[in-house]
Amino acid sequence: MGDFRRLEAWQKSRELTADLNRLLPSGSLRSHPGMRAQILRAADSIPSNLAEGCAKNSRSELARFAETAYASAKELLSHLILCRDRGALSECDFDDLLARTDHVARLCFGLQRMGRKKA
């Protein structure tokens, strides 16, 4: 379907993942084992699914992978809320990450809808 690196959703999700790695260094969630790994797994899933969807030969396949990326973005939103509730993120970082994750989710949803339309 094309070069995934040209998708705004892929670019924004890649940047988000890099920033999460920076903001949540190893050990930052010591009192909540596994939370950092879950956050990064959900974040990594977004650009990965978009790239895989672009490698498929149909718009409907891209839509299916965009749907999975969208679900991962929503999972990430939930993890970020829990992380903030546990005091592992400052309110400023939380607000920024929440807005950016929501933006990525909307971009994924748009790709999903676009791929489901009849050509």
Side-chain angles (χ1 to χ4, degrees):
M1 290 299 314
D3 185 355
F4 64 88
R5 294 170 293 184
R6 296 181 67 174
L7 289 177
E8 182 183 1
W10 183 85
Q11 294 167 2
K12 297 293 184 187
S13 61
R14 177 178 168 249
E15 293 167 6
L16 180 61
T17 299
D19 287 344
L20 283 164
N21 272 294
R22 182 181 52 78
L23 288 169
L24 298 171
S26 293
S28 65
L29 294 168
R30 250 182 286 246
S31 59
H32 306 286
M35 178 61 90
R36 181 179 186 273
Q38 285 182 296
I39 289 169
L40 296 179
R41 196 172 307 119
D44 287 347
S45 176
I46 301 166
S48 298
N49 275 289
L50 294 171
E52 190 170 355
C54 283
K56 301 297 180 177
N57 292 322
S58 71
R59 287 171 46 159
S60 64
E61 281 292 297
L62 173 58
R64 187 169 68 84
F65 282 92
E67 181 178 12
T68 302
Y70 174 78
S72 293
K74 291 300 187 173
E75 178 186 359
L76 178 56
L77 282 170
S78 178
H79 288 319
L80 291 172
I81 292 167
L82 294 172
C83 202
R84 187 261 334 256
D85 292 349
R86 294 171 179 167
L89 278 175
S90 71
E91 202 63 39
C92 182
D93 286 340
F94 170 77
D95 290 342
D96 176 59
L97 292 169
L98 191 73
R100 291 170 58 202
T101 303
D102 191 51
H103 179 67
V104 166
R106 284 189 311 246
L107 291 170
C108 291
F109 186 75
L111 284 171
Q112 178 187 342
R113 286 182 47 116
M114 201 171 73
R116 299 248 188 259
K117 290 182 182 177
K118 300 271 184 197

